[in-house]
Amino acid sequence: MTYTLPDLGYGYNALEPYIDAKTIEIHHDKHHQTYCDNFNKSLEGHPELQKKDAKWIIANLDKVPEAIRMRVRNHGGGFVNHGFFWKILKKNVKISGEILKQISKAFGSFEEFKKKFSESALGLFGSGWTWLVVNKEGKLEIVNTHNQDSPLSIEKIPLLVLDLWEHSYYIKYQNRRAEYVGAFWNVINWEQVDELYRKS
Ligand code: MN3
């Protein structure tokens, strides 16, 4: 079995003007595809792993043979993280429901959460991701991961994520990461985040 690139579920221009169509096209069709291809390559000759769900593999890297572990961590992480990222993007969805209640409880208010998440994203050096996760105690937490590392590997359940690799914003924003982080708040699919929270 091989893993296949998941569909975006919307058009390249669906997130304009916040995330431009060209960026989405290259990010999904080229970058994500490459992670998918390299993930498949890294698992060649390991039918026992190829049978597993990609998320299971990322959550159980200790069960991956050491010889291929770093490649699986990088490319499998890239494959899984991007699949998750596309799903939490949608333009102009207002936050409401249980997730709004829980965020307000955990961070004081939604505005305070936005501030902390943005600070975390802007404080990340190099390439990586900023996440809202549920930790083992069932509490909401903001975490950064480097490269293509996933919170699944440290027993945290992702609810929301922002890709902070330059390829995710460079065409439109160049070095202006803060503008990209600011624009992100207009394209969060809070209905999906709420659903993920309730399932967690
Ligand atoms: Mn990316």
Side-chain angles (χ1 to χ4, degrees), residues 13 16-17 23 34 56 60 63 86 101 112 115 119-121 123 138 144 152-154 172 174 176 186 193:
N13 63 355
E16 290 268 12
T23 296
T34 302
W56 182 92
N60 293 277
K63 300 198 172 68
W86 307 132
K101 232 195 275 174
E112 196 58 29
K115 204 176 135 222
E119 276 168 8
S120 196
N144 284 348
L152 292 170
S153 306
I154 46 169
K172 185 177 171 81
Q174 291 89 47
R176 305 187 305 279
N186 299 292
V193 179

Side-chain angles (χ1 to χ4, degrees), residues 27 82 129 163 165 167:
H27 200 171
H82 285 93
W129 304 72
D163 189 341
W165 284 58
H167 66 230

Side-chain angles (χ1 to χ4, degrees), residues 71-119:
R71 273 183 293 151
V72 168
R73 176 174 162 183
N74 288 338
H75 303 298
F79 175 70
V80 168
N81 289 347
H82 285 93
F84 183 84
F85 184 48
W86 307 132
K87 283 206 190 126
I88 60 91
L89 295 176
K90 193 178 180 182
K91 196 160 68 176
N92 300 332
V93 180
K94 220 172 139 9
I95 183 168
S96 64
E98 189 60 24
I99 189 66
L100 176 58
K101 232 195 275 174
Q102 293 301 328
I103 282 179
S104 306
K105 204 171 109 188
F107 300 97
S109 67
F110 179 62
E111 283 311 308
E112 196 58 29
F113 163 70
K114 266 175 85 167
K115 204 176 135 222
K116 286 194 179 126
F117 188 97
S118 302
E119 276 168 8

